[in-house]
Amino acid sequence: GTAAVTFRGLRAIARCSRPIRGAPRLMQEVVWTGEHDFAAIAGPPGAMSLLVNRNGREVSLFNSVGASLSGLVASPHGRYFGARVGGSMFVFDSRRPGNLALPSGAERSTAVAWSPDDRFTALASQSSVYVYPGDRPGRAVTLPLAAIGLDWR
């Protein structure tokens, strides 16, 4: 395997020498949501899955067939996840499979962030930022801002 992992061309670190307990085969990306809990993108190119491993139990949230799956991020409490499917950011809830509905107009989003308590989601597109209660995209407030990245403070 690879001896080092490079993060966005900024820094290379030694790859974890020990396997991750419960890790799926062909794991491409991982985000930790607790001491032993994590979400991962795994599988061969063109047939990747978004998986959540909580308390040693693996649940599949999404299967991408024919489109790339990358850019995995987690909300502060680990309930929500974001990942790019074919270049657009999608949002997932660890409590149910499938991607969540997005606010109208946010279909080509490029970034996602959550409030520190996981109550609100922010999605960025080329011309707007959408802020909404995590489980109610229909109540989004649209801000006319161009953004390529988001961070909630």
Side-chain angles (χ1 to χ4, degrees):
T2 306
V5 178
T6 302
F7 293 94
R8 296 186 187 186
L10 300 175
R11 179 176 297 228
I13 63 170
R15 190 169 186 141
C16 181
S17 59
R18 295 181 317 165
I20 298 171
R21 182 184 307 221
R25 288 181 20 84
L26 300 174
M27 186 166 65
Q28 306 294 321
E29 297 184 31
V30 63
V31 291
W32 294 96
T33 59
E35 187 175 340
H36 302 287
D37 300 339
F38 60 90
I41 292 175
M48 295 181 161
S49 297
L50 171 57
L51 308 164
V52 174
N53 190 306
R54 199 164 270 143
N55 297 319
R57 190 172 145 254
E58 183 179 287
V59 175
S60 176
L61 294 184
F62 184 78
N63 296 312
S64 177
V65 178
S68 63
L69 188 58
S70 64
L72 182 61
V73 292
S75 66
H77 289 274
R79 175 176 175 185
Y80 298 104
F81 299 95
R84 281 190 225 52
V85 180
S88 294
M89 185 62 70
F90 283 71
V91 179
F92 304 89
D93 185 339
S94 65
R95 297 179 183 178
R96 60 179 178 260
N99 57 296
L100 296 176
L102 299 178
S104 179
E107 293 80 13
R108 303 267 317 144
S109 295
T110 56
V112 64
W114 293 271
S115 61
D117 60 5
D118 275 9
R119 288 181 48 219
F120 293 94
T121 302
L123 279 168
S125 73
Q126 291 179 345
S127 60
S128 301
V129 173
Y130 305 85
V131 180
Y132 60 95
D135 56 354
R136 294 191 186 107
R139 296 188 56 206
V141 173
T142 305
L143 306 171
L145 302 169
I148 57 172
L150 294 172
D151 191 14
W152 200 295
R153 295 187 189 254

